[in-house]
């Protein structure tokens, strides 16, 4: 089983700032900040978009709450 990375780590690994990533996702910077803290609130549509922009499989990003 592969280890999933956090949404923030996925963004950093894609070499994107909060501002750059939020523009590519067409969302507000504050929304992305909230999603990085609470990734389980993201809709499936945005999960797919994030995985494409960050160049990762959707299965490699942890969209679940921390245990």
């Amino acid at each position: 089983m592969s280890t999933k990375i956090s949404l923030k780590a996925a963004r950093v690994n894609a070499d994107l700032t909060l501002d750059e990533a939020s523009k590519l996702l067409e969302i507000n910077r504050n929304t992305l900040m909230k999603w990085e803290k609470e990734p389980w609130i993201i809709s499936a549509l945005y999960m797919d978009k994030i995985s494409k922009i960050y160049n990762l499989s959707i299965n490699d990003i942890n969209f679940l709450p921390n245990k």
Side-chain angles (χ1 to χ4, degrees):
M1 182 176 147
S2 65
T3 304
K4 296 183 180 217
I5 63 172
S6 71
L7 186 57
K8 182 176 181 178
R11 174 180 55 78
V12 170
N13 287 348
D15 200 29
L16 294 168
T17 66
L18 273 167
D19 289 330
E20 291 166 340
S22 60
K23 284 178 185 153
L24 290 169
L25 290 165
E26 300 175 334
I27 60 170
N28 184 287
R29 180 181 194 270
N30 291 330
T31 300
L32 183 54
M33 287 173 60
K34 181 175 176 73
W35 286 358
E36 287 185 355
K37 291 179 181 142
E38 301 174 354
W40 56 91
I41 65 174
I42 303 171
S43 73
L45 177 69
Y46 275 103
M47 288 179 186
D48 185 56
K49 195 170 184 179
I50 288 166
S51 73
K52 287 178 179 156
I53 289 171
Y54 292 0
N55 199 27
L56 285 170
S57 164
I58 199 166
N59 297 318
D60 292 333
I61 303 170
N62 184 12
F63 289 105
L64 300 173
N66 293 334
K67 294 178 183 171

